[in-house]
Amino acid sequence: MDRELFCQDKPVSWRELLFETGRMLKGDNAELEAKWMIEEVSGVTNLHDYQEQAKPIQLKRLSKLIARRLTGEPLQYVLGRWQFRELDLFVDDRVLIPRPETEILVGYALEECKSKKNQLDETRSLNVADLGCGSGAIGLSIAREIQEVSVWCTDVSEGAIAVTRANLAGLGMAGQKVSISQGSWFEALPQEMLEKFDVIISNPPYISDSEELPLEVSEWEPSSSLRSGPLGTEDLSFLLNNSIEWLSAEGQLILELAPMQADQMVEEAKNLNFREVQLRNDLTGRDRVLMAKNRYELFFGFRFRFRVSSF
């Protein structure tokens, strides 16, 4: 690090700092990361403002951010926030970094919510559960972008719940639609909501214990939010098996998964008698989202639920 440039007694412009920060960070995205760091510390958003000089306290903070990034800490944690759809989310190492794949997951959920709104009594809100909410990215996005919806965000991690609450505080009036509770999967939901959820959505852990991950992921992001067990499909199977009693008659389960798990989970959903089981693609065209409708059927005007017995 150029200690003279970052010396608090030496006047230096944001333009100079932008160049020097990019030089130190290196890598394919160094210039962009440097720009984001400068904007986070300074608040400058246009080239004209880059001529201004940094204040000593700003220089000190920028120096700390650079040092953290050089250790390999993900940029999102260094900045302490990340953009997700319409939300500017607070994130730290208690939660996964929100990713584009999950934005796609939310997009499919929003389509489903809008479709259901057209079918429901206008006096009733949609009921949505975001299980394993992490930063709250999924549930809070739905609360922000859908009118007349009630959202339950749950997570077993106390740290994740704290992050979700922090992000809820920035949601404004839309935050009144959201309930947050700590607990393992369905245990955190109120019993009176059995058979009442129109949408249950989750980005659960779906990486096996043996799968190798990039160091920036494995060394910094919470393992409990990434790894599901020896197979990688343990949590996906749990959600498939246990969501049925919580879904409404036409309730939809929406799960993010890994492409190599897609066929297996489709087969499992069909074996559980879910209806309209389908896969949706991510931005790269790979299978990323499983969508399955509850297994209610109508016979002679009466509603029956098929259950799979275990012995």
Side-chain angles (χ1 to χ4, degrees):
M1 184 177 295
D2 189 332
R3 297 185 180 276
E4 183 179 357
L5 188 64
F6 283 82
C7 176
Q8 296 185 13
D9 297 327
K10 176 181 173 61
V12 57
S13 71
W14 289 115
R15 182 180 294 277
E16 293 174 281
L17 289 167
L18 177 64
F19 174 80
E20 181 61 20
T21 300
R23 186 189 68 79
M24 289 188 291
L25 293 178
K26 302 179 181 180
D28 294 337
N29 296 317
E31 292 183 6
L32 186 56
E33 290 191 10
K35 179 177 181 292
W36 284 335
M37 284 189 185
I38 294 294
E39 290 180 354
E40 176 65 24
V41 172
S42 68
V44 301
T45 57
N46 59 65
L47 290 175
H48 176 75
D49 291 336
Y50 274 84
Q51 304 297 332
E52 297 178 2
Q53 293 184 354
K55 298 177 182 178
I57 191 172
Q58 293 172 319
L59 277 175
K60 185 176 181 180
R61 186 182 176 208
L62 178 59
S63 180
K64 288 181 177 179
L65 296 187
I66 294 170
R68 288 173 61 186
R69 185 68 181 114
L70 290 176
T71 68
E73 183 175 359
L75 176 68
Q76 294 87 342
Y77 292 159
V78 171
L79 297 176
R81 61 186 181 86
W82 199 243
Q83 191 73 24
F84 185 89
R85 295 185 63 89
E86 298 180 6
L87 302 177
D88 188 16
L89 293 172
F90 161 63
V91 292
D92 62 20
D93 60 7
R94 293 174 290 182
V95 298
L96 292 182
I97 294 166
R99 288 174 166 81
E101 293 87 349
T102 307
E103 291 195 40
I104 296 298
L105 175 79
V106 172
Y108 292 134
L110 293 173
E111 290 177 5
E112 182 66 24
C113 287
K114 291 172 183 177
S115 174
K116 288 186 179 301
K117 285 295 294 180
N118 293 332
Q119 302 168 14
L120 291 177
D121 181 348
E122 293 183 358
T123 62
R124 182 172 87 75
S125 294
L126 280 177
N127 295 317
V128 177
D130 171 15
L131 303 182
C133 60
S135 64
I138 295 172
L140 299 185
S141 289
I142 292 172
R144 180 179 178 85
E145 298 185 49
I146 296 291
Q147 298 294 322
E148 300 300 324
V149 66
S150 295
V151 179
W152 279 257
C153 292
T154 78
D155 203 294
V156 71
S157 165
E158 183 178 353
I161 289 296
V163 173
T164 296
R165 291 193 187 281
N167 285 319
L168 175 63
L171 200 60
M173 293 292 291
Q176 297 179 8
K177 310 172 187 176
V178 180
S179 300
I180 300 175
S181 57
Q182 184 181 353
S184 178
W185 301 122
F186 299 96
E187 292 176 6
L189 297 174
Q191 287 294 305
E192 59 266 25
M193 290 304 297
L194 281 166
E195 300 188 2
K196 293 183 180 177
F197 281 104
D198 301 291
V199 174
I200 294 177
I201 184 170
S202 182
N203 174 21
Y206 55 76
I207 297 171
S208 69
D209 293 342
S210 60
E211 185 175 342
E212 292 188 8
L213 294 170
L215 289 178
E216 191 170 292
V217 176
S218 62
E219 292 189 356
W220 292 97
E221 298 192 63
S223 178
S224 60
S225 299
L226 292 164
R227 301 192 182 277
S228 182
L231 301 176
T233 56
E234 287 85 350
D235 287 319
L236 289 164
S237 293
F238 180 86
L239 291 168
L240 275 170
N241 278 274
N242 291 274
S243 61
I244 296 160
E245 61 182 339
W246 293 91
L247 287 166
S248 64
E250 294 294 318
Q252 187 86 25
L253 178 65
I254 306 176
L255 301 174
E256 182 175 326
L257 43 63
M260 71 283 293
Q261 300 165 337
D263 291 342
Q264 175 187 344
M265 301 319 297
V266 164
E267 188 67 23
E268 188 166 331
K270 289 180 177 179
N271 288 340
L272 289 167
N273 291 320
F274 277 95
R275 294 178 290 131
E276 300 179 29
V277 180
Q278 56 183 305
L279 294 167
R280 298 289 186 88
N281 294 340
D282 60 18
L283 292 171
T284 65
R286 298 181 298 172
D287 294 330
R288 182 65 65 176
V289 177
L290 173 70
M291 302 186 70
K293 188 169 288 186
N294 199 6
R295 57 192 186 197
Y296 277 121
E297 294 287 0
L298 292 174
F299 292 99
F300 306 108
F302 295 95
R303 191 176 72 180
F304 294 88
R305 167 176 278 171
F306 294 103
R307 292 189 181 277
V308 176
S309 300
S310 57
F311 298 91

